[in-house]
Amino acid sequence: MTQITFEDESGIQTAEIRTDRDGAPQLILRGDSDKPETETETDLPVSIVYSSPAGSYVMSGDSTLVQEFAASNRCIGGRAFFFANPAIIELVCQEIEKIVQIDPQLTVLNLNCRTGFWSKWAAKKINQLIAVDKNEENLEDFLLNLNDFDNVSIYLGDANQILPNLPEKIDLVIADGDSEGLSVAEIQAIAATAAQTVIFLCKDGSAFSRDLARFSNGPYQIKTIVPYDEMPQTAALSALAILEKKRTKKHG
């Protein structure tokens, strides 16, 4: 049996094992120091990346890996989110396409685009994709993943500052709430776009419920909720909600 051990003074707090589309392993070591305070010896064909708040440091092999699912490939660095259960994401994509009409003329906003999976998924099907993210550390991976698309633009910053100044009319919003959900300002900024449909994804049940209530207090109503197990063998359960603009009652 192969074991991974770390000395107490190594500064390594957690370790995560990932595999790419070909099954090649990558070991992500996480700690607080800028660089690992340990040397690495291994006879295994494995990439090793040390990740800290200061950035990533390649100790062995490659800095990124490629996941392939939902007819798309995705390059991700050591600090980016890894889809532990890509097969379920493929089913989520299929479910969305059953419910939402993805018209080739649409202009889609991807809020909190991160490394660009949902941007890439949508960009293949629509006229224009506008991506917004407040975290610059995802930019390199995003540009790598969307390099072949000429209908994609990305803005870095807070949604409440960027969205009101977009010159384009937004038809559909894909909002990734991750595990913390969306802020009040982000939900208000989405509402201000007057998009007809919002696809909202979240990895935390309480944050998901809270944000649905906030959406429902505004101009949107819930059309569909789809729970899915994105992180198997954990207590976490992700969910997808599709919301539509409320119909204005006519008087007369």
Side-chain angles (χ1 to χ4, degrees):
M1 182 176 68
T2 301
Q3 291 184 330
I4 301 173
T5 59
F6 303 105
E7 300 294 336
D8 292 340
E9 62 272 14
S10 68
I12 295 172
Q13 298 172 339
T14 63
E16 177 185 349
I17 298 176
R18 303 175 170 183
T19 55
D20 70 4
R21 59 183 173 183
D22 299 318
Q26 182 187 58
L27 179 62
I28 307 296
L29 307 176
R30 304 189 192 281
D32 289 332
S33 58
D34 291 352
K35 288 189 177 181
E37 300 173 3
T38 183
E39 295 182 356
T40 303
E41 294 182 6
T42 178
D43 295 327
L44 301 174
V46 58
S47 296
I48 303 175
V49 178
Y50 178 80
S51 179
S52 75
S56 295
Y57 179 84
V58 180
M59 302 175 70
S60 173
D62 298 323
S63 62
T64 63
L65 58 74
V66 179
Q67 288 192 291
E68 187 170 353
F69 56 95
S72 181
N73 57 52
R74 171 179 177 257
C75 299
I76 54 172
R79 303 178 72 188
F81 176 77
F82 175 78
F83 284 115
N85 189 9
I88 198 68
I89 303 301
E90 188 157 353
L91 293 176
V92 169
C93 293
Q94 294 172 11
E95 195 67 23
I96 291 173
E97 291 186 275
K98 291 178 184 176
I99 302 167
V100 180
Q101 184 176 358
I102 310 295
D103 190 288
Q105 300 304 314
L106 292 181
T107 296
V108 173
L109 168 70
N110 184 193
L111 180 61
N112 301 329
C113 61
R114 310 188 197 284
T115 57
F117 170 75
W118 289 108
S119 292
K120 192 170 186 177
W121 174 80
K124 298 176 181 181
K125 315 170 191 298
I126 61 168
N127 177 53
Q128 187 175 8
L129 189 287
I130 300 169
V132 176
D133 202 297
K134 55 191 173 187
N135 195 342
E136 190 172 348
E137 73 178 30
N138 293 314
L139 181 60
E140 185 176 347
D141 286 340
F142 181 92
L143 295 176
L144 184 62
N145 287 319
L146 277 297
N147 182 57
D148 294 334
F149 292 85
D150 57 10
N151 62 336
V152 174
S153 55
I154 182 169
Y155 297 83
L156 293 177
D158 292 331
N160 58 321
Q161 297 178 356
I162 294 172
L163 270 56
N165 297 309
L166 292 175
E168 299 87 354
K169 177 184 179 295
I170 304 299
D171 303 302
L172 169 68
V173 176
I174 303 174
D176 186 349
D178 199 27
S179 58
E180 298 179 356
L182 301 173
S183 68
V184 173
E186 287 175 326
I187 292 174
Q188 291 174 342
I190 291 171
T193 67
Q196 182 63 36
T197 305
V198 176
I199 299 171
F200 171 49
L201 305 108
C202 188
K203 299 179 179 65
D204 180 83
S206 59
F208 182 74
S209 299
R210 178 202 66 201
D211 291 348
L212 287 185
R214 290 172 175 172
F215 273 115
S216 298
N217 287 333
Y220 292 100
Q221 60 186 6
I222 300 168
K223 181 178 182 181
T224 306
I225 295 177
V226 181
Y228 58 98
D229 191 1
E230 187 173 349
M231 292 174 279
Q233 301 181 14
T234 72
L237 187 66
S238 300
L240 153 77
I242 296 175
L243 305 106
E244 291 186 338
K245 280 192 70 176
K246 296 175 181 175
R247 295 182 179 179
T248 304
K249 294 182 179 180
K250 295 182 179 179
H251 300 279

